[in-house]
Amino acid sequence: MSDTGKQIIVRSRTKSFKDLYVARVTANTEALYETDTPVKLARAIKGKVSDKFSTEKIYSDDTVEDAITKYEGTEVEFEVNSLAPQDKQLLFNHLYEKGFLVKNKDDKAPEVAVGYRAKKLNGKYEFVWLYVGRFGQGFDDNYETEADKATTQTATLKGDFYERAIDGDYQISVDESNLIEEHTEAKAAIAQWFSSVQEKPAA
């Protein structure tokens, strides 16, 4: 019996976005998926996560016989307060040495996992990990001269995420609003959500 048959489904709007974490992916093969310990990134301001799918229709007898839907990836855009040079080294593989940050045309953004949480109007959180992707689109830093009224600037990260090789999974999440008493493993996971990239327990 599915969990939806045992509880009232709770749908509550999101009202906040916080705790942006990143973990470098150290293995992404058909046999192994591993990451480093997650580290907290800059303070989160806004986030946009868009799953992209394509659909191909199959025709016969002058009508649609079937439709094949394919996952094309997930586009992410995060606005943060600022990025330290250590963040840029982690996300873009720039050289950070002796206090100098050096960007090279051959720098290649490494694969990373990204985690965050979003608060609902009911006070509960949705916890999320995206398993693998790259911030290969870089980031935008904004600057503006100081005037009579101070205006602070932010940084925007853009990246492409996709399925991992071992099983095709690309995201895992837990909506705290819809946990019931027997969801003990999910409750344990959100208590330490950012200590490691989370996995669904084996059946």
Side-chain angles (χ1 to χ4, degrees):
M1 186 176 181
S2 67
D3 292 331
T4 56
K6 303 177 182 179
Q7 63 175 330
I8 297 174
I9 298 174
V10 178
R11 299 180 179 91
S12 182
R13 293 189 183 190
T14 300
K15 72 172 186 177
S16 80
F17 169 58
K18 64 184 299 185
D19 293 333
L20 189 58
Y21 278 74
V22 174
R24 182 167 291 204
V25 175
T26 56
N28 180 28
T29 70
E30 293 182 355
L32 183 65
Y33 171 82
E34 286 185 343
T35 72
D36 286 340
T37 301
V39 295
K40 190 170 184 180
L41 204 58
R43 296 177 68 88
I45 298 172
K46 291 181 182 179
K48 183 178 181 180
V49 179
S50 305
D51 292 343
K52 301 297 182 181
F53 293 87
S54 63
T55 300
E56 179 182 354
K57 295 178 182 178
I58 301 174
Y59 292 86
S60 62
D61 283 344
D62 296 335
T63 60
V64 176
E65 176 186 339
D66 202 353
I68 300 174
T69 301
K70 181 181 179 182
Y71 170 67
E72 298 287 350
T74 299
E75 296 177 359
V76 304
E77 184 172 319
F78 297 128
E79 184 181 349
V80 297
N81 66 330
S82 180
L83 290 178
Q86 295 91 335
D87 299 327
K88 297 173 184 178
Q89 180 186 43
L90 171 63
L91 296 176
F92 309 115
N93 228 17
H94 299 323
L95 174 66
Y96 183 56
E97 191 173 84
K98 298 182 179 179
F100 294 92
L101 179 72
V102 181
K103 300 179 182 180
N104 186 277
K105 67 180 182 64
D106 294 323
D107 293 344
K108 182 179 179 181
E111 289 188 323
V112 295
V114 170
Y116 57 89
R117 61 176 175 157
K119 195 173 187 179
K120 304 297 186 77
L121 286 174
N122 62 4
K124 304 292 186 179
Y125 284 90
E126 179 184 20
F127 296 80
V128 178
W129 273 106
L130 296 171
Y131 278 131
V132 61
R134 300 179 193 271
F135 287 101
Q137 298 180 41
F139 73 102
D140 298 328
D141 254 337
N142 300 301
Y143 301 95
E144 184 178 336
T145 191
E146 186 174 0
D148 292 337
K149 184 177 180 180
T151 302
T152 60
Q153 302 298 318
T154 60
T156 302
L157 283 164
K158 300 175 183 178
D160 294 297
F161 282 70
Y162 40 88
E163 71 275 15
R164 59 185 184 181
I166 193 170
D167 54 15
D169 291 346
Y170 64 91
Q171 177 180 305
I172 189 169
S173 63
V174 173
D175 186 342
E176 189 180 15
S177 300
N178 284 279
L179 294 182
I180 56 178
E181 186 175 350
E182 58 258 44
H183 291 164
T184 55
E185 292 170 316
K187 292 177 181 178
I190 64 174
Q192 53 181 3
W193 193 255
F194 301 112
S195 64
S196 63
V197 178
Q198 297 296 316
E199 299 282 350
K200 177 182 175 297

